[in-house]
Amino acid sequence: MYVNEDPAPSRYDLLVVGSANADLVVGVDRRPGPGETVLGSDLVVHPGGKGANQAVAAARLGAGTALLARVGDDAHGRLLLASQQEAGVDTGGVFVGGAPTGVALITVDPSGDNSIVVSPGANARLTPEDIRASGALFAAARVVSVQLEIPLDTVAETARALGPDTRLVLNPSPPAPLPDEVLAACDPLVVNEHEARFILGEGAGDSPESWARGLTALGPRSVVITLGAGGALVSDTRTGDAVRVPSPKVAAVDTTGAGDAFTAALAWRLGLGEELTRAAAFAVRVGAAAVTKEGAQASFPTSEEVSAL
């Protein structure tokens, strides 16, 4: 069922289709070996998941945002819905039930290294039928953003559900082989170095420019490659250009969620009608602002904080 049985969307700048997880974090002096038990810190629970992160990041910037996801009818699901609503995200398209809410079990040692086990839970039950049942959301969205923490056939159905004037932004994370129909709908495909190399395989080359050439040859209308502190590279088949977008210099505290903040900001600005390179320049600043604070959703900046960077 929906959170709202009869959602009545207005026009959305961005519709995010994706995952919503509860991140369960425990600090440890060292991570346990096989068969070993270690004591840890008090458990801390954070709202997370790439879809939920992107929706909060966009809403905090001022975008009219809706989330299409699935959570369990449980305490973690209620936590996730509350975090979305607090940020101003329309959760009328969130389905509830079918499985427990997705959970990421995270142990973090004193150096900051972590080990993560993800139980997809309800995220794995977001189905193509759910997408087809959400036509009103798609009709109201200028841009749709999707990731790969939900089933690939659901991602493919998302690409099919786009209206003629709706743009698809895809971040293939975690990376997986993509159907041709999904690649052809991407405008842009947003990847980091690891994701670019996974998709291209052997012979990917060593430069972002070579990755961009290889990726655009697979069918996306445009490609954006995130380069961390190096900013981003934008490649658009309509112009044939590959343009580097620099990042402002900041003191990084925590990079968690920075990629989600970047993608959300990029998608929002494209929905406002900005040209891709200009939208990427704004998104780079949003990602830079996000790394100056700890956490994922807690680190996402407002537009005022981005302007002050």
Side-chain angles (χ1 to χ4, degrees):
M1 66 176 181
Y2 274 120
V3 171
N4 288 326
E5 291 294 340
D6 184 22
S10 56
R11 188 67 172 163
Y12 297 116
D13 299 318
L14 178 63
L15 168 64
V16 180
V17 181
S19 59
N21 287 330
D23 293 343
L24 278 57
V25 184
V26 176
V28 293
D29 289 335
R30 59 182 179 83
R31 286 169 284 172
E36 183 182 16
T37 299
V38 300
L39 293 177
S41 67
D42 290 344
L43 175 70
V44 180
V45 182
H46 299 291
K50 296 189 73 65
N53 285 350
Q54 285 190 17
V56 167
R60 196 162 290 165
L61 289 167
T65 308
L67 176 65
L68 172 52
R70 184 175 284 276
V71 300
D73 186 11
D74 51 33
H76 290 148
R78 289 186 285 276
L79 168 71
L80 288 162
L81 288 170
S83 71
Q84 295 291 309
Q85 292 160 358
E86 183 179 352
V89 176
D90 188 332
T91 58
V94 177
F95 293 86
V96 177
T101 300
V103 170
L105 307 172
I106 306 170
T107 59
V108 184
D109 69 18
S111 72
D113 286 339
N114 58 40
S115 296
I116 304 174
V117 177
V118 176
S119 171
N123 294 310
R125 275 73 165 187
L126 187 67
T127 65
E129 289 74 20
D130 294 336
I131 302 301
R132 289 191 285 271
S134 304
L137 288 172
F138 284 88
R142 295 183 174 91
V143 177
V144 174
S145 180
V146 67
Q147 323 80 40
L148 300 188
E149 290 184 333
I150 57 175
L152 191 55
D153 57 351
T154 304
V155 174
E157 189 63 33
T158 297
R160 298 185 197 109
L162 299 174
D165 299 320
T166 304
R167 192 164 185 161
L168 182 71
V169 176
L170 169 62
N171 173 216
S173 179
L178 294 170
D180 290 344
E181 66 174 320
V182 173
L183 283 166
C186 295
D187 192 15
L189 176 72
V190 181
V191 295
N192 60 21
E193 175 180 350
H194 170 66
E195 293 152 1
R197 290 184 180 276
F198 178 92
I199 293 170
L200 293 171
E202 293 186 10
D206 294 323
S207 71
E209 285 78 9
S210 67
W211 306 333
R213 287 192 295 271
L215 290 169
T216 54
L218 296 177
R221 301 175 193 180
S222 58
V223 170
V224 175
I225 301 172
T226 59
L227 304 171
L233 178 87
V234 174
S235 178
D236 195 326
T237 60
R238 285 160 288 220
T239 63
D241 296 330
V243 179
R244 292 261 190 164
V245 179
S247 173
K249 303 301 181 185
V250 296
V253 173
D254 184 355
T255 62
T256 305
D260 297 331
F262 174 95
T263 303
L266 177 75
W268 173 46
R269 301 300 277 211
L270 291 173
L272 296 181
E274 285 191 356
E275 181 269 332
L276 182 60
T277 301
R278 184 176 179 185
F282 177 79
V284 162
R285 294 171 62 199
V286 171
V291 305
T292 64
K293 299 179 182 178
E294 292 186 352
Q297 293 185 15
S299 74
F300 296 154
T302 63
S303 289
E304 291 76 17
E305 290 170 326
V306 176
S307 298
L309 190 66

